[in-house]
Amino acid sequence: MKYLFLPFLWIATLATSQTSTPRLSKYFIDRSGHALYLPAKPNKVEISYSPDSSKVYTINCIDTTQKANFYFGAIVVDLKESIVGNEENILEKYLDYLKSNFKIKESAGYGKGHTLDSHPAAKGMIDYWRDEEGNEWKITGWADAKTIVVMYEYGAKEYPIFNIVDLFMKGFRFKGDS
């Protein structure tokens, strides 16, 4: 009888030590008209204003399904002025500004020319960062005529499920997109 119990105990231990795949859910970013998909319920959206009075939304959450804390979030800037023709340049400058604020010590370098299926007018960039605490960051920036978006995921190590991060980074919905 005790030998029948051992396989059950081993299977139960294995099942409880496994991580789970989070389910991405769509969240609207306050009343901005923008939305994104996150792996956990977000904290309350923070709203602030840039020096030129552009409205800035910050939304984030913590995914704990992988036996570690992984942070997902986005900073969305609804610009006061159009940046048509300068989207990549303005996005790059904003990412450089964020590097300083997030105390980024290493950067792979901007990968430019990315597109977003749900919003073909958006110009995109990606980068990989490491901050002074050793956290690994994945960054995707999107910009169109009136909006800059910086999406990030970071943690003490690389997030173990590539598809979740990829879907998150490509899951931003600009105002008016479905």
Side-chain angles (χ1 to χ4, degrees):
M1 181 73 161
K2 82 175 181 183
Y3 294 109
L4 290 175
F5 181 71
L6 288 177
F8 173 76
L9 184 61
W10 179 77
I11 290 170
T13 302
L14 182 63
T16 59
S17 69
Q18 298 295 314
T19 59
S20 62
T21 301
R23 181 173 174 256
L24 294 173
S25 298
K26 187 176 187 178
Y27 294 95
F28 289 92
I29 302 170
D30 199 59
R31 294 184 185 131
S32 68
H34 306 296
L36 77 166
Y37 290 84
L38 291 168
K41 185 177 178 184
N43 297 323
K44 185 176 188 244
V45 175
E46 294 178 23
I47 301 171
S48 59
Y49 291 89
S50 68
D52 73 347
S53 299
S54 295
K55 201 167 194 177
V56 180
Y57 302 90
T58 304
I59 184 170
N60 55 57
C61 71
I62 302 172
D63 176 11
T64 59
T65 63
Q66 305 307 306
K67 299 205 178 243
N69 288 341
F70 291 95
Y71 302 85
F72 287 75
I75 301 167
V76 181
V77 183
D78 278 338
L79 300 165
K80 288 293 265 185
E81 303 291 327
S82 175
I83 58 170
V84 170
N86 287 316
E87 294 94 342
E88 273 192 347
N89 186 38
I90 300 295
L91 178 57
E92 185 173 339
K93 287 180 181 180
Y94 191 61
L95 289 170
D96 287 342
Y97 165 76
L98 290 177
K99 277 185 194 177
S100 173
N101 284 353
F102 293 150
K103 299 180 179 169
I104 301 304
K105 298 300 179 194
E106 295 177 41
S107 170
Y110 298 126
K112 299 179 180 181
H114 293 268
T115 58
L116 188 59
D117 290 341
S118 64
H119 197 79
K123 309 286 190 229
M125 290 181 175
I126 64 169
D127 204 355
Y128 299 90
W129 297 345
R130 181 173 288 126
D131 66 24
E132 66 183 14
E133 294 177 12
N135 289 309
E136 303 281 336
W137 292 67
K138 289 181 185 78
I139 302 294
T140 299
W142 302 110
D144 76 355
K146 295 282 287 175
T147 308
I148 293 174
V149 181
V150 176
M151 303 183 72
Y152 57 86
E153 177 277 317
Y154 71 93
K157 59 185 180 178
E158 185 174 338
Y159 193 81
I161 307 172
F162 172 82
N163 289 346
I164 294 297
V165 177
D166 191 51
L167 289 169
F168 162 70
M169 296 293 185
K170 294 176 181 172
F172 186 80
R173 297 298 181 256
F174 283 84
K175 188 182 320 187
D177 293 344
S178 53

